[in-house]
Every structure is written in structure tokens, then in C-alpha cells.
Amino acid sequence: MMTLTRRTLTAALLALAALNAQAQDKPPLKILVGFPPGGSADVIARIVADALRDDFNPVVVDNKPGAGGRIALNMVKVAKPDGQTVIVLPSGPMVLFPHVYKKLDYDAVKDFTPVSQIARFQFGVVSGPATNVKNVAEMVAKAKSDPANASYGTPGAGTLPHFMGVLMEQSAGISLNHVPFQGGAPANNALLGGHIGYKFDVVSETAEFHRTGKARIIAVTGSQRDPQVPDVPTLKESGVNMEATAWFAMYGPAGLKGEALARLEKAMMKLARDPAIKDKMVKLGLEPIGSNSADLAAAQKADLARWEKPIKATGVQLD
């Protein structure tokens, strides 16, 4: 009995030691989010956190909202490049802000290491009840014949929907009147109330309006139709040579490389292949990607170039 007890105890201790060694082999990971809990960036970060618990221990999501995500970005900027502090964020702070802000307190390229492009999403061109516009051709014709009433609302000046409208103007050869609101909800109210004609918005935010007939999504801005509204054509299908999407991505501080970066890349690419994770993202209106560092760097470079001209055309410069 004593021998059996010793053997059992020894086996238990060896198993415990193995578990401890395995836990120690998994470094901790803090995922910063520059927006409040419950928002889209927070939801994506928590999906990522749950999926990465097999590779990191513990995984903590830390919300540091404020300044359009810049507070969290600056925390990552000064973090050690050891692969234990990253940020999950939408593309705006990395591809729009460098053109919008006069004195941005970070360099979107030099101060960070791209890790992985998580998912892509597109926008809808939404026609409100005041326009009676059913497709892009009607929108273009109406804007040319009556430009004074071709207004579109956004959550504010300098936002991605604002510049989607500017890009639409340039691509379709029309003039639109930008009406900025303090947030998406007031813009929705103005659209449904007939105070503005159009709105550029994330498809998932306006799909229900489309389905119930309160408003109409007349086109989507990506390269393919959106599964949430499969009846809606792309802008290119509608005769406007425009394609623009946004994305969520993971970045670390500058200098992140070697095994620390490889571990994150591998985990993020594995995440994108997980059917359960893909299903969650698709239900949120996202197209899962799970790229490596080099592919994210290329996507950021392309979008920095894409948005420079439409942003400069507006003359918008924020402090």
C-alpha cells in the first residue's frame, strides 16, 4: 500500500510539474483596445482573446478608450517588443489618421509592428426615404440634376464614412453635401426622418433598415456582394469604379520580431481557419482573413496611399 501511495504521489507530482512547465511555456498576452467595452473593436478583441488561450496564458483584454483609439496605441508604442502586449483596432487610426491629424503623436508605420489582419468589412451606400432612389444610377442622375439636395450624413468629420462619401464623389463625378453628426445614431435618425438623403455605413449596421424597407442599401463598397444583403450589387457592378473596405488588425510595438512575432502570427492564422471563429465573424458581417505580418504591412501601405487623395480633397485637418 505504501509503495502504491508513493507511486501515485510521484505520478501526480510529475503530472503537476508537466502542467506547470506547459503553462510557463505559454507567455501572457495583453490585448489593448482603444474603445469602450461592447463596441465592435472590443467584440473582435474578445473573440481573438478566447481563441488564443491555447497559445498564451493568461490572455487579458484591456480597454483604454479615448482619442479615437490613440491612447491605447501610444501604450503599445512604448511597450516592450516581447510579444506580450498588442492592440486590436480598426484600420482608421493606421491609414486615415496620418492624413487627417496635423500633429499625430505616433508614426503609424515606424512605431508599430504589423502582426495580422484579422478581418475585413465593407460599407453600404444607403438611400433614405426622402430620396426615393432605388439604385446607384438614380443616385448619380439625381445628384447631377439637383446637387443642392444630395446630402449624406456621417458620425462626424474625419471619419471613414465621411471619406467614403468623398471617394464616391470622385469616382462617380458628382457633388455631395456632407452633414456630420455627433455619432451614428443621430445620423440614422436624420436619414430615416428624411432630413438627409444618404448615408455611408457599415453593412451590418444598416442591413435591418434595408430588410424592413425603412431605408435601402443601393450598393456595397467591396469587391464582392455582402452575404448579409445578397440582393445588393457592388459599386463596380453599378457602374462606379470604386472599391473600398476597412479592416480590423493586430499590431505590436516596433521591434517585435523573431519567435515572439512568429508565435503571434501562427496563432492568428490558426484562428482564421477555425470554423467556429469564422462563423462568429461572418455573423458580425466580417470576412475573416488571418494574414501574416508582411501581408498586413502591404494592406496598410496600400490603404495609406488609397485614402491620401480623397482626404486631402476635403481639406479636413484635425488638431
Side-chain angles (χ1 to χ4, degrees):
M1 180 67 71
M2 187 176 292
T3 301
L4 181 60
T5 302
R6 284 178 182 152
R7 286 177 179 171
T8 303
L9 180 60
T10 301
L13 289 172
L14 288 172
L16 182 60
L19 286 172
N20 286 336
Q22 186 180 20
Q24 290 172 2
D25 188 50
K26 295 180 182 180
L29 181 66
K30 178 189 286 187
I31 302 176
L32 286 164
V33 179
F35 302 91
S40 55
D42 177 68
V43 170
I44 299 303
R46 293 182 189 278
I47 291 174
V48 169
D50 287 342
L52 296 189
R53 297 192 197 282
D54 288 342
D55 301 280
F56 299 87
N57 182 46
V59 183
V60 178
V61 176
D62 190 4
N63 296 83
K64 298 294 182 183
R70 285 177 287 152
I71 291 174
L73 269 169
N74 277 292
M75 292 177 68
V76 174
K77 173 183 170 180
V78 299
K80 291 182 180 180
D82 55 8
Q84 296 180 20
T85 303
V86 296
I87 187 168
V88 166
L89 77 170
S91 52
M94 307 307 281
V95 302
L96 298 183
F97 287 8
H99 302 307
V100 172
Y101 285 90
K102 296 176 184 177
K103 296 179 180 179
L104 197 60
D105 48 3
Y106 62 84
D107 187 304
V109 175
K110 294 179 181 178
D111 289 338
F112 304 97
T113 300
V115 175
S116 178
Q117 194 177 27
I118 301 168
R120 185 184 297 113
F121 61 97
Q122 58 180 323
F123 286 71
V125 184
V126 188
S127 168
T131 67
N132 199 33
V133 163
K134 299 179 180 63
N135 55 55
V136 171
E138 291 181 6
M139 176 186 180
V140 171
K142 199 162 189 175
K144 288 181 176 180
S145 64
D146 188 16
N149 291 316
S151 58
Y152 74 101
T154 70
T159 60
L160 189 53
H162 176 190
F163 299 126
M164 284 282 180
V166 175
L167 194 58
M168 176 80 175
E169 288 181 288
Q170 295 175 352
S171 302
I174 58 176
S175 294
L176 299 172
N177 300 316
H178 175 226
V179 183
F181 293 86
Q182 292 186 335
N188 280 338
N189 292 337
L191 180 79
L192 298 179
H195 304 296
I196 55 174
Y198 307 97
K199 189 171 183 279
F200 291 80
D201 203 350
V202 179
V203 174
S204 58
E205 296 293 328
T206 53
E208 188 61 25
F209 294 156
H210 180 79
R211 285 190 285 265
T212 58
K214 292 181 179 179
R216 185 188 297 268
I217 302 176
I218 59 175
V220 293
T221 63
S223 60
Q224 297 180 346
R225 294 193 179 199
D226 194 296
Q228 299 172 95
V229 285
D231 58 314
V232 177
T234 65
L235 278 169
K236 284 192 173 182
E237 286 181 286
S238 305
V240 176
N241 188 26
M242 171 180 160
E243 181 183 321
T245 57
W247 34 265
F248 288 99
M250 176 183 285
Y251 284 81
L256 175 61
K257 55 187 177 182
E259 177 58 32
L261 176 58
R263 181 190 287 268
L264 284 163
E265 282 183 298
K266 183 179 178 181
M268 293 301 293
M269 287 189 283
K270 181 175 69 174
L271 174 155
R273 296 192 297 268
D274 185 318
I277 300 299
K278 290 175 70 174
D279 185 58
K280 286 181 182 179
M281 290 193 179
V282 169
K283 286 179 178 177
L284 292 170
L286 302 170
E287 176 192 346
I289 301 174
S291 75
N292 60 24
S293 175
D295 287 343
L296 173 54
Q300 181 183 356
K301 181 179 180 180
D303 275 3
L304 273 167
R306 175 179 290 113
W307 288 112
E308 183 176 9
K309 183 178 177 181
I311 291 172
K312 285 186 175 179
T314 67
V316 171
Q317 283 280 282
L318 304 179
D319 294 324

